Protein backbone atom coordinates (compact mmCIF):
# COMPACT_ATOMS: atom_id res chain seq x y z
CA UNK A 1 0.00 0.00 0.00
CA UNK A 2 2.86 2.36 0.82
CA UNK A 3 4.36 1.66 -2.61
CA UNK A 4 1.08 2.54 -4.36
CA UNK A 5 0.82 5.76 -2.33
CA UNK A 6 4.37 6.62 -3.36
CA UNK A 7 3.52 6.02 -7.03
CA UNK A 8 0.52 8.34 -6.84
CA UNK A 9 2.52 11.07 -5.09
CA UNK A 10 5.41 10.65 -7.52
CA UNK A 11 3.14 10.87 -10.55
CA UNK A 12 1.48 13.98 -9.13
CA UNK A 13 4.76 15.80 -8.48
CA UNK A 14 6.20 14.49 -11.73
CA UNK A 15 3.23 15.87 -13.65
CA UNK A 16 4.12 19.46 -12.73
CA UNK A 17 7.78 18.84 -13.51
CA UNK A 18 6.87 17.22 -16.82
CA UNK A 19 4.70 20.15 -17.94
CA UNK A 20 7.48 22.58 -17.03
CA UNK A 21 10.05 20.47 -18.86
CA UNK A 22 7.86 20.25 -21.98
CA UNK A 23 7.46 24.04 -22.02
CA UNK A 24 11.24 24.48 -21.83
CA UNK A 25 11.91 21.68 -24.31
CA UNK A 26 9.44 23.03 -26.87
CA UNK A 27 11.23 26.38 -27.13
CA UNK A 28 14.60 24.67 -27.25
CA UNK A 29 13.43 22.31 -29.97
CA UNK A 30 12.25 25.17 -32.20
CA UNK A 31 14.98 27.82 -31.79
CA UNK A 32 17.66 26.21 -29.62
CA UNK A 33 16.97 28.55 -26.68
CA UNK A 34 17.18 27.25 -23.12
CA UNK A 35 14.73 29.75 -21.65
CA UNK A 36 15.66 30.15 -18.00
CA UNK A 37 12.99 32.84 -17.73
CA UNK A 38 10.30 30.20 -18.27
CA UNK A 39 9.65 29.91 -14.55
CA UNK A 40 8.73 33.58 -14.52
CA UNK A 41 5.84 32.83 -16.89
CA UNK A 42 4.52 30.54 -14.15
CA UNK A 43 5.26 33.11 -11.45
CA UNK A 44 3.55 36.08 -13.11
CA UNK A 45 0.51 33.88 -13.71
CA UNK A 46 0.38 33.14 -9.99
CA UNK A 47 0.24 36.85 -9.17
CA UNK A 48 -2.54 37.35 -11.71
CA UNK A 49 -4.44 34.64 -9.81
CA UNK A 50 -3.72 36.55 -6.60
CA UNK A 51 -5.28 39.69 -8.07
CA UNK A 52 -8.27 37.91 -9.65
CA UNK A 53 -9.01 35.35 -6.93
CA UNK A 54 -12.28 37.11 -6.10
CA UNK A 55 -13.66 36.45 -9.58
CA UNK A 56 -15.49 33.34 -10.70
CA UNK A 57 -12.69 30.81 -11.23
CA UNK A 58 -13.06 30.40 -15.04
CA UNK A 59 -12.72 34.18 -15.38
CA UNK A 60 -9.61 34.14 -13.20
CA UNK A 61 -8.06 31.34 -15.24
CA UNK A 62 -8.92 33.16 -18.48
CA UNK A 63 -7.23 36.31 -17.16
CA UNK A 64 -4.11 34.28 -16.32
CA UNK A 65 -4.10 32.68 -19.78
CA UNK A 66 -4.42 35.99 -21.64
CA UNK A 67 -1.81 37.74 -19.51
CA UNK A 68 0.79 34.95 -19.61
CA UNK A 69 0.43 34.41 -23.38
CA UNK A 70 0.89 38.15 -23.99
CA UNK A 71 3.79 38.16 -21.53
CA UNK A 72 5.50 35.25 -23.31
CA UNK A 73 4.99 36.79 -26.76
CA UNK A 74 6.33 40.12 -25.48
CA UNK A 75 9.44 38.45 -24.07
CA UNK A 76 10.09 36.90 -27.48
CA UNK A 77 9.39 40.07 -29.46
CA UNK A 78 11.21 42.52 -27.18
CA UNK A 79 14.13 40.37 -26.03
CA UNK A 80 14.79 37.03 -27.69
CA UNK A 81 14.04 38.08 -31.27
CA UNK A 82 16.75 40.73 -31.00
CA UNK A 83 19.43 38.13 -30.21
CA UNK A 84 18.00 35.12 -32.02
CA UNK A 85 21.07 34.64 -34.23
CA UNK A 86 23.52 35.04 -31.37
CA UNK A 87 25.54 32.06 -30.05
CA UNK A 88 23.67 29.70 -27.67
CA UNK A 89 25.65 30.92 -24.64
CA UNK A 90 24.54 34.49 -25.37
CA UNK A 91 20.90 33.41 -25.55
CA UNK A 92 21.30 31.62 -22.23
CA UNK A 93 22.80 34.68 -20.53
CA UNK A 94 20.02 36.87 -21.93
CA UNK A 95 17.38 34.50 -20.54
CA UNK A 96 19.10 34.56 -17.13
CA UNK A 97 19.12 38.35 -17.20
CA UNK A 98 15.45 38.50 -18.16
CA UNK A 99 14.61 36.07 -15.37
CA UNK A 100 16.31 38.17 -12.67
CA UNK A 101 14.85 41.40 -14.04
CA UNK A 102 11.29 40.02 -13.86
CA UNK A 103 11.83 38.62 -10.37
CA UNK A 104 13.02 41.89 -8.88
CA UNK A 105 10.41 43.90 -10.74
CA UNK A 106 7.80 41.78 -8.95
CA UNK A 107 9.67 42.27 -5.67
CA UNK A 108 9.20 46.01 -6.16
CA UNK A 109 5.50 45.51 -6.94
CA UNK A 110 4.51 42.89 -4.34
CA UNK A 111 7.45 42.58 -1.94
CA UNK A 112 9.55 39.49 -1.34
CA UNK A 113 7.36 37.91 1.35
CA UNK A 114 5.13 34.94 0.64
CA UNK A 115 1.61 35.80 -0.53
CA UNK A 116 -1.25 33.37 -0.05
CA UNK A 117 -4.48 32.85 -1.97
CA UNK A 118 -7.32 30.39 -1.45
CA UNK A 119 -7.88 29.27 -5.04
CA UNK A 120 -10.13 26.29 -5.82
CA UNK A 121 -9.82 24.77 -2.33
CA UNK A 122 -12.34 22.08 -3.24
CA UNK A 123 -9.90 20.33 -5.60
CA UNK A 124 -7.23 20.21 -2.91
CA UNK A 125 -9.37 18.12 -0.61
CA UNK A 126 -8.31 14.51 -0.32
CA UNK A 127 -10.32 11.32 -0.32
CA UNK A 128 -9.48 7.73 0.49
CA UNK A 129 -9.73 4.78 -1.88
CA UNK A 130 -8.75 1.40 -0.50
CA UNK A 131 -6.57 3.00 2.16
CA UNK A 132 -4.87 5.32 -0.34
CA UNK A 133 -5.04 9.06 0.32
CA UNK A 134 -5.59 10.93 -2.96
CA UNK A 135 -6.07 14.65 -3.48
CA UNK A 136 -8.19 15.88 -6.35
CA UNK A 137 -5.42 18.18 -7.52
CA UNK A 138 -3.07 15.20 -7.77
CA UNK A 139 -5.42 13.50 -10.23
CA UNK A 140 -5.68 16.75 -12.19
CA UNK A 141 -1.89 17.04 -12.36
CA UNK A 142 -1.52 13.52 -13.69
CA UNK A 143 -4.43 13.85 -16.11
CA UNK A 144 -3.40 17.29 -17.38
CA UNK A 145 0.11 16.06 -18.09
CA UNK A 146 -1.05 13.02 -20.04
CA UNK A 147 -3.70 14.92 -22.01
CA UNK A 148 -1.53 17.94 -22.85
CA UNK A 149 1.46 15.79 -23.80
CA UNK A 150 -0.68 13.70 -26.15
CA UNK A 151 -2.42 16.79 -27.57
CA UNK A 152 0.89 18.53 -28.19
CA UNK A 153 2.33 15.44 -29.89
CA UNK A 154 -0.71 15.25 -32.18
CA UNK A 155 -0.49 18.99 -32.88
CA UNK A 156 3.18 18.85 -33.86
CA UNK A 157 2.87 15.71 -35.96
CA UNK A 158 -0.44 16.25 -37.72
CA UNK A 159 -1.08 19.98 -38.16
CA UNK A 160 0.34 22.50 -40.60
CA UNK A 161 1.83 24.68 -37.88
CA UNK A 162 3.31 21.56 -36.30
CA UNK A 163 4.96 20.60 -39.58
CA UNK A 164 6.36 24.10 -39.87
CA UNK A 165 7.69 23.97 -36.30
CA UNK A 166 9.53 20.79 -37.15
CA UNK A 167 10.89 22.38 -40.32
CA UNK A 168 12.16 25.44 -38.44
CA UNK A 169 13.71 23.14 -35.84
CA UNK A 170 15.49 20.98 -38.43
CA UNK A 171 16.69 23.67 -40.85
CA UNK A 172 15.60 27.30 -40.23
CA UNK A 173 17.20 28.64 -43.42
CA UNK A 174 15.57 26.06 -45.67
CA UNK A 175 12.24 26.61 -43.92
CA UNK A 176 12.42 30.32 -44.76
CA UNK A 177 13.32 29.55 -48.38
CA UNK A 178 10.20 27.42 -48.83
CA UNK A 179 7.96 30.15 -47.43
CA UNK A 180 7.68 29.37 -43.71
CA UNK A 181 7.20 32.50 -41.61
CA UNK A 182 9.73 31.73 -38.88
CA UNK A 183 8.66 34.60 -36.63
CA UNK A 184 5.05 33.42 -36.65
CA UNK A 185 6.04 29.81 -35.92
CA UNK A 186 8.34 30.84 -33.07
CA UNK A 187 5.57 33.03 -31.65
CA UNK A 188 3.24 30.02 -31.80
CA UNK A 189 5.82 27.98 -29.86
CA UNK A 190 6.03 30.67 -27.19
CA UNK A 191 2.22 30.83 -26.97
CA UNK A 192 1.96 27.05 -26.55
CA UNK A 193 4.68 27.08 -23.89
CA UNK A 194 2.72 29.84 -22.13
CA UNK A 195 -0.38 27.61 -22.14
CA UNK A 196 1.64 24.89 -20.42
CA UNK A 197 2.95 27.46 -17.92
CA UNK A 198 -0.63 28.54 -17.13
CA UNK A 199 -1.57 24.92 -16.43
CA UNK A 200 1.35 24.61 -14.01
CA UNK A 201 0.39 27.93 -12.39
CA UNK A 202 -3.22 26.93 -11.75
CA UNK A 203 -2.34 23.48 -10.41
CA UNK A 204 0.57 24.74 -8.29
CA UNK A 205 -1.41 27.57 -6.70
CA UNK A 206 -4.44 25.33 -6.12
CA UNK A 207 -2.17 22.83 -4.36
CA UNK A 208 0.05 25.15 -2.30
CA UNK A 209 -1.95 28.40 -2.10
CA UNK A 210 1.26 30.42 -1.87
CA UNK A 211 3.73 32.28 -4.07
CA UNK A 212 6.83 34.48 -4.01
CA UNK A 213 8.62 36.29 -6.83
CA UNK A 214 11.30 33.60 -6.67
CA UNK A 215 9.37 30.33 -6.73
CA UNK A 216 9.61 30.04 -10.52
CA UNK A 217 13.39 29.62 -10.31
CA UNK A 218 13.22 26.24 -8.59
CA UNK A 219 10.60 25.00 -11.06
CA UNK A 220 12.78 26.16 -13.96
CA UNK A 221 15.85 24.38 -12.64
CA UNK A 222 13.97 21.13 -12.01
CA UNK A 223 12.24 21.42 -15.38
CA UNK A 224 15.57 21.97 -17.09
CA UNK A 225 17.05 18.94 -15.32
CA UNK A 226 14.07 16.86 -16.44
CA UNK A 227 14.52 18.15 -20.00
CA UNK A 228 18.19 17.20 -20.06
CA UNK A 229 17.51 13.75 -18.62
CA UNK A 230 14.73 13.05 -21.09
CA UNK A 231 16.55 14.51 -24.08
CA UNK A 232 16.63 18.11 -25.28
CA UNK A 233 14.22 18.57 -28.16
CA UNK A 234 12.22 15.41 -27.41
CA UNK A 235 8.79 16.21 -25.96
CA UNK A 236 8.11 12.60 -24.84
CA UNK A 237 11.59 12.63 -23.34
CA UNK A 238 10.81 15.83 -21.44
CA UNK A 239 7.64 14.28 -20.04
CA UNK A 240 9.50 11.10 -19.09
CA UNK A 241 12.27 13.12 -17.44
CA UNK A 242 9.72 15.10 -15.42
CA UNK A 243 8.03 11.97 -14.11
CA UNK A 244 11.41 10.39 -13.27
CA UNK A 245 12.55 13.47 -11.35
CA UNK A 246 9.21 13.52 -9.53
CA UNK A 247 9.54 9.84 -8.64
CA UNK A 248 13.11 10.33 -7.40
CA UNK A 249 12.14 13.39 -5.35
CA UNK A 250 9.25 11.53 -3.71
CA UNK A 251 11.36 8.44 -3.04
CA UNK A 252 14.11 10.49 -1.41
CA UNK A 253 11.56 12.31 0.73
CA UNK A 254 10.43 8.93 2.07
CA UNK A 255 13.84 7.28 2.46
CA UNK A 256 16.15 10.04 3.64
CA UNK A 257 16.51 10.54 7.39
CA UNK A 258 15.11 13.84 8.71
CA UNK A 259 18.56 15.40 9.02
CA UNK A 260 19.27 14.87 5.31
CA UNK A 261 15.87 15.80 3.88
CA UNK A 262 16.78 19.52 3.50
CA UNK A 263 19.53 18.36 1.10
CA UNK A 264 17.18 16.29 -1.05
CA UNK A 265 17.88 18.37 -4.18
CA UNK A 266 21.60 17.64 -3.85
CA UNK A 267 20.87 13.92 -4.10
CA UNK A 268 18.57 14.55 -7.07
CA UNK A 269 21.28 16.41 -8.96
CA UNK A 270 23.84 13.73 -8.07
CA UNK A 271 21.52 11.14 -9.62
CA UNK A 272 21.17 13.38 -12.69
CA UNK A 273 24.95 13.45 -13.11
CA UNK A 274 25.04 9.65 -12.96
CA UNK A 275 22.32 9.37 -15.63
CA UNK A 276 24.10 11.82 -17.93
CA UNK A 277 27.39 9.99 -17.54
CA UNK A 278 25.65 6.91 -18.92
CA UNK A 279 23.38 8.72 -21.45
CA UNK A 280 24.99 12.11 -22.23
CA UNK A 281 22.28 13.01 -24.78
CA UNK A 282 19.40 12.02 -22.53
CA UNK A 283 17.12 9.01 -22.50
CA UNK A 284 15.45 9.90 -25.82
CA UNK A 285 17.89 11.72 -28.13
CA UNK A 286 16.31 13.15 -31.26
CA UNK A 287 18.09 13.41 -34.59
CA UNK A 288 18.06 17.20 -34.69
CA UNK A 289 19.78 17.40 -31.31
CA UNK A 290 22.44 14.96 -32.50
CA UNK A 291 23.09 17.13 -35.55
CA UNK A 292 23.13 20.28 -33.45
CA UNK A 293 25.78 18.74 -31.17
Amino acid sequence: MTFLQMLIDAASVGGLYALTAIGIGLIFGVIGLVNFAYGEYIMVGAYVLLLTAGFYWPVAVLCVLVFVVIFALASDWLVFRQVRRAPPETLMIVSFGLSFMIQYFYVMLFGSLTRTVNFLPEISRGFEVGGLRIAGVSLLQIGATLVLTAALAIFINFTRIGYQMRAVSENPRMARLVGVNSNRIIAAAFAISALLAVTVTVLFVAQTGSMTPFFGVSLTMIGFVATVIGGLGSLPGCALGGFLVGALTTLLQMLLPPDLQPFREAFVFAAVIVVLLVRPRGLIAVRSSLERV
Side-chain angles (χ1 to χ4, degrees):
M1 195 64 67
T2 302
F3 178 72
L4 290 177
Q5 185 70 60
M6 187 201 74
L7 285 180
I8 294 171
D9 295 340
S12 173
V13 174
L16 285 183
Y17 295 165
L19 290 174
T20 305
I22 292 170
I24 294 172
L26 177 64
I27 298 299
F28 179 85
V30 175
I31 61 173
L33 165 67
V34 179
N35 186 7
F36 283 103
Y38 185 75
E40 276 54 65
Y41 299 168
I42 301 171
M43 181 270 290
V44 299
Y47 279 92
V48 175
L49 274 183
L50 176 68
L51 297 175
T52 60
F55 298 164
Y56 186 44
W57 72 265
V59 177
V61 172
L62 180 61
C63 291
V64 176
L65 177 62
V66 172
F67 186 86
V68 175
V69 169
I70 293 174
F71 190 88
L73 293 175
S75 69
D76 173 46
W77 186 63
L78 295 174
V79 180
F80 296 124
R81 184 178 296 189
Q82 314 307 320
V83 293
R84 192 169 290 163
R85 298 187 180 181
E89 56 270 19
T90 300
L91 289 171
M92 187 180 298
I93 292 171
V94 169
S95 71
F96 267 121
L98 179 62
S99 171
F100 283 111
M101 184 188 74
I102 296 169
Q103 289 170 39
Y104 285 98
F105 178 73
Y106 269 72
V107 168
M108 290 190 293
L109 288 179
F110 298 97
S112 59
L113 298 179
T114 301
R115 296 294 190 99
T116 59
V117 59
N118 191 25
F119 182 71
L120 290 178
E122 55 272 13
I123 69 172
S124 298
R125 299 191 183 102
F127 56 92
E128 289 193 7
V129 178
L132 297 175
R133 179 89 177 158
I134 304 173
V137 69
S138 297
L139 296 179
L140 285 176
Q141 287 168 351
I142 298 169
T145 304
L146 296 176
V147 170
L148 288 176
T149 302
L152 187 56
I154 293 171
F155 177 83
I156 289 177
N157 288 289
F158 299 103
T159 67
R160 182 174 180 178
I161 295 178
Y163 291 144
Q164 292 176 346
M165 280 186 183
R166 291 160 59 191
V168 172
S169 173
E170 293 287 342
N171 194 325
R173 180 177 299 178
M174 183 60 68
R176 286 194 298 270
L177 290 176
V178 297
V180 175
N181 187 330
S182 297
N183 288 331
R184 187 184 68 176
I185 296 306
I186 293 170
F190 271 90
I192 294 171
S193 72
L195 173 62
L196 296 170
V198 169
T199 305
V200 175
T201 296
V202 172
L203 294 173
F204 182 86
V205 173
Q207 184 177 39
T208 65
S210 63
M211 67 203 70
T212 72
F214 307 108
F215 85 87
V217 176
S218 59
L219 282 175
T220 299
M221 294 307 298
I222 293 175
F224 176 66
V225 166
T227 303
V228 172
I229 290 176
L232 283 168
S234 168
L235 297 185
C238 294
L240 175 61
F243 279 113
L244 289 177
V245 172
L248 179 60
T249 302
T250 304
L251 182 64
L252 289 173
Q253 184 69 30
M254 294 178 60
L255 297 181
L256 288 176
D259 292 342
L260 292 179
Q261 286 183 3
F263 307 101
R264 180 183 60 184
E265 282 73 18
F267 289 94
V268 172
F269 283 104
V272 169
I273 293 173
V274 172
V275 171
L276 294 180
L277 287 174
V278 178
R279 297 279 297 180
R281 295 186 177 94
L283 298 177
I284 304 177
V286 296
R287 182 177 301 176
S288 59
S289 66
L290 296 176
E291 292 174 353
R292 189 177 292 118
V293 173

